[in-house]
Amino acid sequence: MHPRYGSPEQRSGSSGTVNERRFVESIEVDGVFNVRSVAGPGLAPGRLFRSATLDHLTPRGRNMLEKLGIRTVLDLRDGTERPESTAPAFWDVLHHPLYDPLTGPPRTGEITAIYRALLDERGRALTDAVRALAASPAPVLVHCTAGKDRTGLVVALALSAVGVPDPVIVDDYAWSGPRVRPHREEAVRNLLADLALDPAEHTRSVELHLDSPPSALQSALGHVRRRYGSVTGYLEAHGFTADDLVALRTRLLGEPELTVLHLSDVHASDRQDPFVGVDGAGRVRAAVDRASASRLRPDIVVVTGDLAHHRATATYPGLVEIFDEIRNRLGCPVLAVPGNHDDPVAFASAFGTHPVEYVRGFRILGVDTSSGALPRDELARLSHELATPAPNGTVLVMHHPPVPSPAATLAGRELVRTDELAAVLHGSDVSAILAGHFHHPMSGVFTGIPVWVGSSLAYLQDVGTPGDSVVAFDDPAYSLVRCSRAGVRALPIALRTPEVLFRSSPTLTATTS
């Protein structure tokens, strides 16, 4: 595993890892403990909050929650746990008790077993709570007594259903224990003091009331997936509809957009090659200069292959240095995949393998088509990655386009065995495919997925020449691609600034130059 790309357990919603970049945002509210905003990759800020009980909320704390804009409070306790009356509030309170009202919350037990029993026996109540979260006016605050167990399960199910990675969900859950213990430890020990518990039972019961071990939530999510295939499968089995899922995604994700700086076919050479005769590395820098000065600043830079010309691997260290400069300058990740001109072994050593980045809740996933096809291991990796959807969908990055070019000189040069790729992509969350290789910009559709073939930084190929000749224009270009749930937009941009034909503004009449 190359250090530039984390393992699935390490990846977060940005280019950092979960351990490097925590998403939890703790909030101090007078009279309430364990308060925080639920944040993570792709989640719209300020939509979902969680806390312990609001029973002791002070006027100052109430004012704080009103400033946060809380419009709905989802109370997961039953009637025996709630006070008979509460002060009027700015928000609506919805009651969705999770434990059976006849038995109430458990006093003793092992936390993992309690979670599994709650998931197995109260699936309808849990699903109703997630549905209420999805349908209620936001911002929504979810709470129980400590804001740890019932709240933790509802929040975890909701986040997982919209594709937030497990490490982020578990990180949010684990935040509760240290915040609960100072407020609840004495009451819990008094609660357990009158019970005839052996030391092991006492230890387990203390953990149940005071701790939030990551293993407990990991076990709960694993239990759901083993029985139902996925968290969405669990919710659907208990009455959650497709409309409910759309509402949940809208509530938690908002309308994010991803801007991609798409570079392709650099053909950097360590010698003056008459076939190309261009400074590929210099053109990468020039494209980044143009992009950094634009108001359409990229969230990620992708490079779709042929970084070197004729396997000129001596150019790789220089390109690695340029990519590191880009990361520092633009503050965004760089993801590169190899092309047929690249040396696979040297490329992997320089730029890494299995490239995946999470940005703004989108997953940008690179695959190796340098052989002209997707190898079996790449198809298997792709299938494994896509089994878990990303919050805002996946952008697939490759060198060889899965659609043919209209140019006679490029006949048969597209990706081969596209039926295998189609089978893997069927039903997946892939919303766009970015490719290169053709040296001319082109859009297409593959199995219902928009395809954008980016322009080349080396040369523009004439698509109108006969099949036995290639005409290359010295007209380098790059692309800006914007992805959202509303669709995909791609814009080819010439690297060189063309002559201005005219200028206009709302106060001036256009004039020709």
Side-chain angles (χ1 to χ4, degrees), residues 11 49 98 104 120 137 140 175 180 200 209 283 349 355 361 451 466 472 505 512:
R11 289 196 299 269
F49 297 83
L98 295 192
D120 291 343
V140 179
W175 196 257
V180 167
H209 288 284
R283 290 185 174 185
S349 177
V451 177
S505 72
T512 58

Side-chain angles (χ1 to χ4, degrees), residues 363-389:
R363 173 173 50 198
I364 300 89
L365 174 57
V367 292
D368 182 356
T369 68
S370 57
S371 65
L374 270 169
R376 303 295 183 193
D377 60 340
E378 280 290 81
L379 284 166
R381 180 177 74 90
L382 179 59
S383 179
H384 175 74
E385 288 279 359
L386 295 179
T388 302

Side-chain angles (χ1 to χ4, degrees), residues 127-374:
T127 301
D128 287 346
V130 174
R131 181 185 294 108
L133 189 161
S136 301
V140 179
L141 184 144
V142 183
H143 80 85
C144 50
T145 299
K148 179 175 75 73
D149 303 313
R150 287 169 283 186
T151 299
L153 284 178
V154 168
V155 169
L157 292 173
L159 296 186
S160 183
V162 300
V164 175
D166 278 6
V168 178
I169 299 172
V170 173
D171 192 41
D172 172 73
Y173 165 80
W175 196 257
S176 285
R179 276 96 198 142
V180 167
R181 185 173 282 272
H183 296 273
R184 295 274 296 163
E185 187 163 13
E186 182 178 356
V188 167
R189 296 198 181 279
N190 290 336
L191 174 71
L192 301 178
D194 296 335
L195 303 179
L197 302 176
D198 64 35
E201 290 173 329
H202 187 272
T203 298
R204 288 194 294 267
S205 297
V206 168
E207 180 184 59
L208 170 66
H209 288 284
L210 298 179
D211 296 332
S212 54
S215 60
L217 189 62
Q218 290 164 344
S219 176
L221 291 172
H223 177 68
V224 165
R225 289 166 182 152
R226 283 190 297 273
R227 294 197 62 182
Y228 295 90
S230 65
V231 168
T232 52
Y234 172 82
L235 295 173
E236 289 167 1
H238 294 95
F240 208 68
T241 68
D243 288 341
D244 291 331
L245 184 57
V246 170
L248 183 65
R249 291 178 63 87
T250 302
R251 171 65 63 246
L252 296 182
L253 304 181
E255 295 297 335
E257 187 168 56
L258 177 75
T259 300
V260 180
L261 173 58
H262 180 191
L263 312 178
S264 195
D265 298 277
V266 177
H267 286 270
S269 180
D270 55 355
R271 62 188 184 280
Q272 190 68 20
D273 193 310
F275 182 63
V276 179
V278 297
D279 178 8
R283 290 185 174 185
V284 170
R285 279 199 167 97
V288 172
D289 287 342
R290 291 282 303 277
S292 64
S294 168
R295 68 176 182 84
L296 301 175
R297 288 179 66 87
D299 300 306
I300 185 170
V301 177
V302 303
V303 191
T304 50
D306 282 0
L307 277 68
H309 184 60
H310 286 329
R311 302 198 172 197
T313 58
T315 63
Y316 287 162
L319 289 171
V320 167
E321 182 178 337
I322 292 173
F323 292 170
D324 286 339
E325 292 172 5
I326 293 172
R327 292 183 182 96
N328 293 328
R329 180 176 179 183
L330 298 182
C332 69
V334 178
L335 184 151
V337 296
N340 52 290
H341 275 259
D342 290 304
D343 179 275
V345 175
F347 186 97
S349 177
F351 305 105
T353 59
H354 304 161
V356 183
E357 295 285 353
Y358 282 85
V359 183
R360 293 186 178 273
F362 294 84
R363 173 173 50 198
I364 300 89
L365 174 57
V367 292
D368 182 356
T369 68
S370 57
S371 65
L374 270 169

